[in-house]
Amino acid sequence: MISKESILKGLKTRIIGKKVFVFESIDSTNACARTLAEAGTAEGTVVVADYQTAGRGRLGRSWLSAPGTNLLFSIVLRPTLKKESAALLTFYSAVSIARALERVTGKPFECKWPNDILLNGRKCCGILLENSFLQDRFDFSVIGVGLNVNQSSFPDDLGNRATSLLVELGHQLDRTALLQELLRETDALLPIVHKGDVPTIMDEWNSRCLMFGKPVTITHGEERISGTALRLDAEGGLVINTPSGPSTFYAGDVTIVQ
Ligand code: BTN
């Protein structure tokens, strides 16, 4: 099991990980981080679990992860941003994670809209942001990360869309060392978020996203639309050129049509 002591040993961050809670099993690290944030916990508080009984995914889905094999954690931030800039956090977290994974593995990681990380075209990491606002400003944001590290197989219903670092690299990784690197990178990029420096984050996210200019299909609930992925708009929406003209989506699942 991952321990608090091993995470803190040698962790050289300024804000992220100044307070760490570790659970063998919990309902959801995001739920716990939210409760802590509502009770006033400091920015940078991290909640880690070896297993979740009610892991949450995007769009009301569940996030399943075999016990003791992957990384499941949530970070509390208190961004000094306005509500309109919420999308910056999505892209900031994806870029930080991709950078850290690249440093540890030496492989290129792709960012997929809205907040997945892919290796060799398959999803190894999902990010769930849960924001809370006080009028037009943030009270807190919880960044929840589910990274498939040492899981060797996935349920059939995920087809070949899900993968892990083990499956792609062919060897296990030390989860604690990897978590430390992820926390280090999110910490290093945090000042950029506080400055509201959108271009720095967006330029890197865009360069890691391989769907622009390609034919895609987006599904959201009953809606299913095809077109060409054009760009992101200022709020982080995905602009798709459809047969009836450009259309912007703020949620959904997008796939490149092969
Ligand atoms: C997605 O749907 O792709 C996002 C998945 C996010 C899962 C992580 S696991 C740690 C944290 N706690 C949760 O309940 N969810 C996030």
Side-chain angles (χ1 to χ4, degrees), residues 112-126:
K112 180 174 177 244
W113 187 87
N115 43 7
D116 292 344
I117 311 281
L118 314 188
L119 176 57
N120 299 334
R122 297 203 283 166
K123 176 169 173 174
C124 61
C125 179

Side-chain angles (χ1 to χ4, degrees), residues 47-79:
V47 181
V48 187
D50 255 345
Y51 183 64
Q52 294 182 130
T53 54
R56 302 175 185 168
R58 275 194 319 117
L59 305 172
R61 297 180 186 128
S62 6
W63 183 261
L64 302 174
S65 173
T69 57
N70 297 323
L71 282 173
L72 306 164
F73 64 98
S74 302
I75 302 172
V76 176
L77 294 185
R78 297 199 180 271

Side-chain angles (χ1 to χ4, degrees), residues 210-227:
L210 305 184
M211 70 169 63
F212 297 119
K214 295 195 178 149
V216 295
T217 297
I218 183 160
T219 49
H220 187 219
E222 298 296 295
E223 214 182 358
R224 187 183 162 86
I225 289 169
S226 296

Side-chain angles (χ1 to χ4, degrees), residues 179-205:
L179 177 60
Q180 288 178 319
E181 192 55 31
L182 292 161
L183 300 182
R184 210 194 56 68
E185 202 61 67
T186 42
D187 191 72
L189 271 181
L190 191 57
I192 290 184
V193 171
H194 283 301
K195 266 191 258 159
D197 179 359
V198 181
T200 299
I201 302 284
M202 290 317 299
D203 287 353
E204 182 164 342
W205 193 92

Side-chain angles (χ1 to χ4, degrees), residues 5 18 64 69 77 83 91 97 100 113 128 165 170 174 178 180 187-188 190-191 194 199 225 246 255 258:
E5 293 66 36
K18 287 293 152 202
L64 302 174
T69 57
L77 294 185
K83 204 173 184 171
F91 302 116
I97 290 165
W113 187 87
L128 178 69
L165 301 180
D174 177 337
L178 185 54
Q180 288 178 319
D187 191 72
L190 191 57
H194 283 301
I225 289 169
T255 45
Q258 300 296 340

Side-chain angles (χ1 to χ4, degrees), residues 241-255:
N241 199 16
T242 71
S244 48
S247 198
T248 307
F249 297 83
Y250 293 96
D253 291 310
V254 62
T255 45

Side-chain angles (χ1 to χ4, degrees), residues 89-143:
L89 295 177
T90 302
F91 302 116
Y92 148 74
S93 39
V95 165
S96 315
I97 290 165
R99 277 192 188 187
L101 289 173
E102 230 157 71
R103 179 160 305 117
V104 171
T105 66
K107 303 283 180 200
F109 284 79
E110 184 188 334
C111 292
K112 180 174 177 244
W113 187 87
N115 43 7
D116 292 344
I117 311 281
L118 314 188
L119 176 57
N120 299 334
R122 297 203 283 166
K123 176 169 173 174
C124 61
C125 179
I127 304 167
L128 178 69
L129 264 101
E130 296 187 54
N131 297 325
S132 172
F133 301 99
L134 287 173
Q135 283 139 12
D136 67 335
R137 296 223 159 244
F138 273 90
D139 180 12
F140 63 83
S141 176
V142 168
I143 298 178

